[in-house]
Amino acid sequence: MLDRCLVVDDHEMIRETIAIMATSLGFKESIMAIDGADAISKIFHERPSLIITDLQMEPIDGLEMLRLIRSGRYGLQHDIPIIILTANASESVIAQCIAFDVDAFLVKPVNRQALQERINQLSQQAKAKKTVEHYFDMYQQDPAKSTAFQMNGQVAFSDSDVSEFDALIKDQKPVEPIEPSEPVSLSVAPAPEPASKPTADNKKYFIKWQDRFSVGHSDLDESNMQLLDIINDTYDLIVNHEHDDHVFEDVAKRFQHYVNNHITLEEALLTERVYPRLKMHTDMHGRLIKQAEFVVLKCQADPSFYRTDFFRLLRFWWVKHVVQEDTKYKSVFTELV
C-alpha cells in the first residue's frame, strides 16, 4: 500500500503538509492535486495506492470525486483506498461518503499521529469494495435523495425498531458505582486497555451486570461484561463532559474488538450446539456489524457523534441483542450442566 499517495486539497499549505507527513510515514512518493478535477487526471496517470482528499473543493469536490472513482469513470481503479478530510461536513454528506465506501475519515487539522493511525488501520484491514456496477447504479440514482443504508438496500434498523428501543430504555436510571468483580479468563484475545480510564471515585455507571443478563456460558458472559464496561465508560465520559476525542476513539476500538471476538466465539459455540435459531442469529449479526461500521465511520468524520449515535448504538446492541436475543439461547448451554 505504501507506494504512491495522492493528497487533494485546494489549500496549498494543507496539501503540502499532509504530503510531507505521508512521505515521512513510509510512502515512496507523495503527489498533490488542487481539486477533484486535477485529482482525476493524476489518478489516471500516476495510479496512486492511497488518496487523501478534502471535501469542499471546486469544481469537483471530494464527494463527487469519490463517486466518480467508485463508479469506475474514466477508467479509474474503483477500489483505491480513500481517506476523506472533514471539518464541518453535514450528516447527509457523511452518509453519502459512507454509502460509496469511503475507507476512513480524518478531522482537520490533521496531525501525524492521526494520519498514521488511519494508514495503519487500512493496512491491517482493507475495506472490501463492491462491484463497479453497484456504485454506477447508485451514482445514476442521485444518492443525495436517500440515506446510506437505503442506498445500499440494507436498512439496519427500522423506525419501529428505534421507537421500541427508546421505550425500553426511557426508564433506565444510572446506578451507583459498584465494586469491580474478579476478572474471569476469556478464551478470546484480551480487549485493548483504554488510554484514559475514569477513576473509581467519580465514575458514573449507566447499568450494572445482573444475573438475568447471563447467556449460560461463562466466556460469553465475560465478553458481554466487557461490552457493559464499554457502555458505562462511554456514559461516564459523556456525563463528565469529556472533550478529548481520542478517549472516545479508544472506547470505539474496544467496541470493535468486542464485536470481532464476541461474534466469532458466539457463532462457533452455537454452531457446535446446533442452535435452532442460528441462521436468524447470524443474519442479525450481519446487520449489527454493518450498523456498527456505519456509526464508527460517522464518528471518525465528526467526533460529536460519539456522544449521540455511538452511545445510542451501544445501548441498542445491549437491549435489543444481548438482553432480548442472546438470552434466548441460554438453554442450549444450561441443558448440558
Side-chain angles (χ1 to χ4, degrees):
M1 178 181 174
L2 300 181
D3 184 18
R4 185 177 288 119
C5 178
L6 172 62
V7 180
V8 190
D9 200 296
D10 54 4
H11 287 81
E12 181 179 8
M13 182 177 295
I14 292 175
R15 68 174 177 267
E16 289 186 352
T17 300
I18 295 176
I20 291 170
M21 287 181 189
T23 303
S24 72
L25 290 172
F27 280 92
K28 297 177 182 177
E29 182 182 5
S30 291
I31 54 179
M32 294 177 283
I34 62 174
D35 56 42
D38 185 26
I40 288 171
S41 175
K42 296 283 175 60
I43 295 166
F44 182 83
H45 293 287
E46 303 289 344
R47 303 291 177 180
S49 53
L50 173 69
I51 299 170
I52 303 171
T53 180
D54 189 26
L55 266 179
Q56 298 177 338
M57 301 177 293
E58 296 289 346
I60 296 179
D61 63 18
L63 173 57
E64 181 65 6
M65 185 178 72
L66 171 66
R67 295 172 61 202
L68 290 169
I69 292 170
R70 292 288 183 254
S71 303
R73 300 298 182 88
Y74 315 116
L76 302 177
Q77 178 188 339
H78 89 287
D79 58 353
I80 303 173
I82 299 174
I83 298 174
I84 284 185
L85 309 176
T86 59
N88 299 301
S90 68
E91 186 170 359
S92 63
V93 169
I94 292 170
Q96 291 169 43
C97 292
I98 295 173
F100 278 86
D101 285 327
V102 64
D103 290 86
F105 289 97
L106 262 176
V107 178
K108 286 184 171 182
V110 178
N111 61 57
R112 189 177 186 277
Q113 180 181 350
L115 180 58
Q116 184 171 27
E117 288 177 356
R118 292 292 181 268
I119 291 172
N120 290 343
Q121 169 191 329
L122 299 186
S123 298
Q124 294 167 6
Q125 190 173 8
K127 188 172 183 179
K129 305 301 188 297
K130 303 176 185 69
T131 63
V132 169
E133 291 76 18
H134 173 87
Y135 299 113
F136 182 80
D137 288 344
M138 288 172 54
Y139 188 92
Q140 294 291 85
Q141 294 168 12
D142 186 4
K145 294 179 181 178
S146 61
T147 66
F149 271 86
Q150 289 170 336
M151 283 186 289
N152 282 282
Q154 298 165 337
V155 179
F157 301 120
S158 67
D159 290 341
S160 60
D161 285 334
V162 175
S163 297
E164 180 184 356
F165 164 66
D166 286 338
L168 286 167
I169 68 165
K170 68 179 182 178
D171 295 325
Q172 175 66 54
K173 301 293 192 299
V175 301
E176 293 302 314
I178 57 176
E179 292 298 322
S181 58
E182 290 297 318
V184 180
S185 177
L186 263 180
S187 61
V188 296
E193 288 296 323
S196 177
K197 185 78 171 178
T199 62
D201 293 336
N202 63 358
K203 180 173 178 177
K204 302 295 183 181
Y205 283 73
F206 182 74
I207 191 171
K208 65 179 179 179
W209 178 265
Q210 301 175 37
D211 288 342
R212 67 186 181 91
F213 297 150
S214 174
V215 298
H217 192 284
S218 60
D219 287 343
L220 292 175
D221 283 347
E222 178 63 17
S223 182
N224 282 332
M225 289 177 191
Q226 291 180 2
L227 175 59
L228 207 56
D229 285 342
I230 292 167
I231 294 171
N232 286 327
D233 287 351
T234 304
Y235 176 75
D236 180 75
L237 292 171
I238 292 170
V239 298
N240 283 320
H241 309 292
E242 176 60 58
H243 298 295
D244 184 354
D245 295 331
H246 291 293
V247 179
F248 281 102
E249 188 162 327
D250 177 77
V251 175
K253 289 177 183 176
R254 290 166 56 200
F255 173 63
Q256 290 173 299
H257 184 275
Y258 160 81
V259 171
N260 294 334
N261 283 271
H262 181 85
I263 287 179
T264 299
L265 175 63
E266 183 182 70
E267 291 186 356
L269 290 170
L270 293 180
T271 299
E272 180 183 323
R273 300 294 191 274
V274 196
Y275 181 47
R277 291 170 53 87
L278 179 61
K279 176 61 166 60
M280 183 182 299
H281 203 81
T282 55
D283 287 347
M284 194 177 300
H285 282 166
R287 296 171 64 209
L288 286 164
I289 290 169
K290 290 181 186 300
Q291 184 72 352
E293 290 173 349
F294 178 71
V295 171
V296 170
L297 274 172
K298 280 183 68 176
C299 293
Q300 284 187 5
D302 183 348
S304 68
F305 287 121
Y306 282 119
R307 298 166 178 82
T308 55
D309 292 46
F310 180 68
F311 188 49
R312 186 186 186 91
L313 171 68
L314 293 178
R315 293 178 297 169
F316 201 117
W317 193 299
W318 181 262
V319 175
K320 293 289 289 183
H321 191 65
V322 175
V323 177
Q324 292 191 348
E325 185 62 31
D326 285 359
T327 53
K328 290 178 181 178
Y329 62 65
K330 184 174 183 177
S331 62
V332 305
F333 298 115
T334 55
E335 286 173 355
L336 302 176
V337 178

